[in-house]
Amino acid sequence: MNILLKAARIVCPDNKELHLKKRDILIKKGTIEKIAATIDAPSNTKLVDLKNLHISLGWLDTGVSFGEPGHEERETIAHGLYVAAKSGFTDIILYSSTEPVPDTSSDVVFLKERGHGKPTRLYPMGTLTKKGEGKDLAELFDMKNAGAVAFYDFKKQVANPNLLKIALQYAQNFDGLVFSFPQDGNIKGVGVAHEGIMSTTLGLKGIPSLAEELQIARDLFILEYTGGKLHIPTISTSESVKLIANAKKKGLDVTCSVAIHNLVHTDEMLSDFDTNFKVSPPLRTKQDVKALIKGIKDGTIDYVTSDHIPIDVEEKRVEFDNAADGSLGLESAFGALNHIFGLEETISILTKGHSRFGLQNLVIKEGEKACITLFDPEVEYSFGVDHILSTSKNSMFLGAPMKGKVYGVINNDHILI
């Protein structure tokens, strides 16, 4: 397929020659053939001429759940990748949150095959331990060879410190990336919300910040001893930012991410017991939000993730204590981030992370494969039900102010707008 983008403003902070320039871009058979001020459309070419069209390198989300296999009623892989593409993401890292969990090479191959040939590329994680039970290491090397980009027992702490030590040591043999969820389950207990004024007022069992910070401190001590590559997903407290900043100053190979909703909302949103705001880790305080945003700006926090977790209505329309954790995040990601950070910083955030997961870093350049996200960064609106494309509808962003509309993507020799 041939595609001609007309008058597209290129947002590419790392390329001074093209950054914020308005150009026509001709794409033939998935490859950028020409970038120029004006290009006449050849025959048999799809013309893309959209209002206030901006483009950037395709976006990466480092943490997404769907439902398949096990919970197809929440979201299938095919439809989830459609949602990701319409939300601007050309690449997603798929959490090991399926049922059964992906703890063998054949499981990883299955997930890759289900995502093959779509406009959004899918890169699966494998579990760190067999069945995700935290007892014995899974087949890490075999899963790596099958295409797993990291190893993670989804939203579960690595309770056994010796197991994390062995995992970090073993994974160094094949450059494996180990995830460790930052929450001590013993300290969390049966908590369902941030431990503070709001949880006390509402009578909800609290999850202290200590549950996260103690786990991170322990993991960083182990990493300092073993070496290796550690990623700490979805941190949520101000002290966590400090702990990771200090570890980086020591030269430890650690990265971390934060969920977008922890940059937008605080535990004050729980006042109506709306279960869409029940997530793990929980929403924290204004002080934590401020520290997390500062951590992104100064580079302590490496990646921002949608932490997209579809949950069907039956598991959300129950008492707050019994509701499943999770919120949608793909559809609202760009609008929420652009509202907070502005265009250039948002694009820098959304295009980071490829090398950490062993993925190819692409560029917008003649002769290169087209991996492009299309959007209008100026549209302002409130996020509504009509903006949700996912099968499940559990979004905590309903009513939140957004800035920016995504048109779609050009990737994998596909166009979806």
Side-chain angles (χ1 to χ4, degrees):
M1 178 187 293
N2 298 335
I3 303 165
L4 178 61
L5 303 182
K6 292 296 292 183
R9 193 171 299 279
I10 302 170
V11 185
C12 188
D14 294 333
N15 186 335
K16 293 181 180 179
E17 292 183 6
L18 290 178
H19 183 46
L20 298 182
K21 301 293 195 303
K22 190 176 284 190
R23 295 287 186 268
D24 287 0
I25 301 174
L26 179 62
I27 299 167
K28 287 190 174 183
K29 296 181 180 179
T31 298
I32 299 173
E33 180 169 282
K34 187 176 182 181
I35 302 174
T38 303
I39 301 173
D40 294 327
S43 59
N44 300 319
T45 297
K46 179 179 177 64
L47 186 66
V48 178
D49 189 2
L50 299 169
K51 182 180 179 181
N52 196 30
L53 175 61
H54 287 58
I55 69 164
S56 73
L57 283 172
W59 303 341
L60 168 69
D61 193 330
T62 60
V64 173
S65 286
F66 297 138
E68 183 183 2
H71 292 284
E72 286 83 355
E73 74 282 358
R74 297 178 178 177
E75 192 75 275
T76 63
I77 288 174
H79 191 261
L81 291 175
Y82 166 80
V83 174
K86 290 293 287 183
S87 301
F89 293 93
T90 55
D91 302 271
I92 60 107
I93 308 296
L94 186 68
Y95 281 140
S96 53
S97 57
T98 57
E99 191 175 325
V101 295
D103 62 352
T104 68
S105 57
S106 60
D107 296 327
V108 172
V109 170
F110 168 81
L111 293 170
K112 285 178 65 68
E113 288 179 347
R114 294 295 286 171
H116 181 71
K118 302 293 192 294
T120 297
R121 288 181 288 255
L122 180 155
Y123 300 96
M125 296 184 188
T127 58
L128 186 66
T129 63
K130 293 180 180 178
K131 297 183 179 180
E133 293 176 344
K135 296 177 180 178
D136 302 298
L137 286 184
E139 302 172 3
L140 306 189
F141 180 66
D142 288 346
M143 288 193 289
K144 171 79 171 181
N145 287 338
V149 296
F151 308 103
Y152 181 31
D153 288 353
F154 175 68
K155 300 286 184 179
K156 297 178 182 176
Q157 70 168 132
V158 184
N160 183 345
N162 191 54
L163 188 67
L164 180 64
K165 176 178 75 72
I166 293 170
L168 286 166
Q169 290 172 327
Y170 175 57
Q172 290 178 59
N173 294 304
F174 48 88
D175 197 34
L177 178 61
V178 173
F179 272 51
S180 180
F181 183 58
Q183 191 172 84
D184 185 302
N186 291 316
I187 293 179
K188 177 204 172 188
V190 293
V192 295
H194 171 68
E195 184 178 84
I197 294 173
M198 282 304 298
S199 64
T200 303
T201 302
L202 299 173
L204 296 173
K205 298 177 178 66
I207 304 173
S209 298
L210 178 66
E212 176 169 308
E213 294 150 9
L214 191 64
Q215 187 76 18
I216 290 176
R218 187 208 73 172
D219 291 352
L220 292 174
F221 270 118
I222 294 172
L223 178 65
E224 188 171 8
Y225 177 81
T226 60
K229 293 167 60 176
L230 178 67
H231 181 77
I232 301 173
T234 58
I235 67 171
S236 66
T237 80
S238 57
E239 186 62 29
S240 296
V241 178
K242 294 177 185 177
L243 288 167
I244 292 167
N246 289 334
K248 288 186 172 185
K249 288 177 183 177
K250 291 180 179 180
L252 302 186
D253 191 354
V254 59
T255 50
C256 68
S257 66
V258 61
I260 296 172
H261 50 250
N262 284 102
L263 303 173
V264 175
H265 295 304
T266 69
D267 61 342
E268 293 178 0
M269 301 302 294
L270 304 183
S271 59
D272 292 329
F273 297 96
D274 185 342
T275 57
N276 284 332
F277 293 94
K278 189 184 180 193
V279 287
S280 181
L283 300 177
R284 301 286 186 184
T285 67
K286 290 180 180 178
Q287 177 186 348
D288 293 312
V289 170
K290 184 178 179 180
L292 292 167
I293 291 174
K294 183 175 182 294
I296 293 167
K297 290 179 177 290
D298 66 23
T300 300
I301 297 175
D302 302 273
Y303 315 121
V304 179
T305 173
S306 71
D307 202 35
H308 178 86
I309 303 176
I311 302 291
D312 58 278
V313 66
E314 287 81 6
E315 295 184 77
K316 279 293 189 180
R317 196 175 291 169
V318 294
E319 295 85 355
F320 195 91
D321 284 1
N322 298 325
D325 296 322
S327 173
L328 301 180
L330 285 170
E331 299 99 313
S332 49
F334 175 62
L337 287 173
N338 193 32
H339 186 264
I340 298 171
F341 294 102
L343 178 58
E344 292 186 45
E345 191 164 3
T346 294
I347 297 305
S348 293
I349 289 168
L350 290 169
T351 53
K352 291 172 63 177
H354 293 77
S355 59
R356 185 62 167 173
F357 292 89
L359 311 182
Q360 183 180 3
N361 281 305
L362 298 173
V363 294
I364 296 177
K365 183 180 178 182
E366 292 178 358
E368 296 287 335
K369 285 289 184 182
C371 176
I372 293 171
T373 299
L374 300 82
F375 54 94
D376 177 352
E378 301 300 329
V379 179
E380 296 189 30
Y381 61 99
S382 292
F383 191 77
V385 175
D386 56 324
H387 298 113
I388 297 177
L389 303 174
S390 299
T391 302
S392 299
K393 306 301 177 186
N394 57 303
S395 174
M396 71 164 70
F397 289 94
L398 291 171
M402 299 278 149
K403 185 177 182 182
K405 169 187 176 182
V406 176
Y407 288 122
V409 300
I410 298 172
N411 189 39
N412 257 358
D413 201 15
H414 288 74
I415 178 169
L416 181 58
I417 55 175

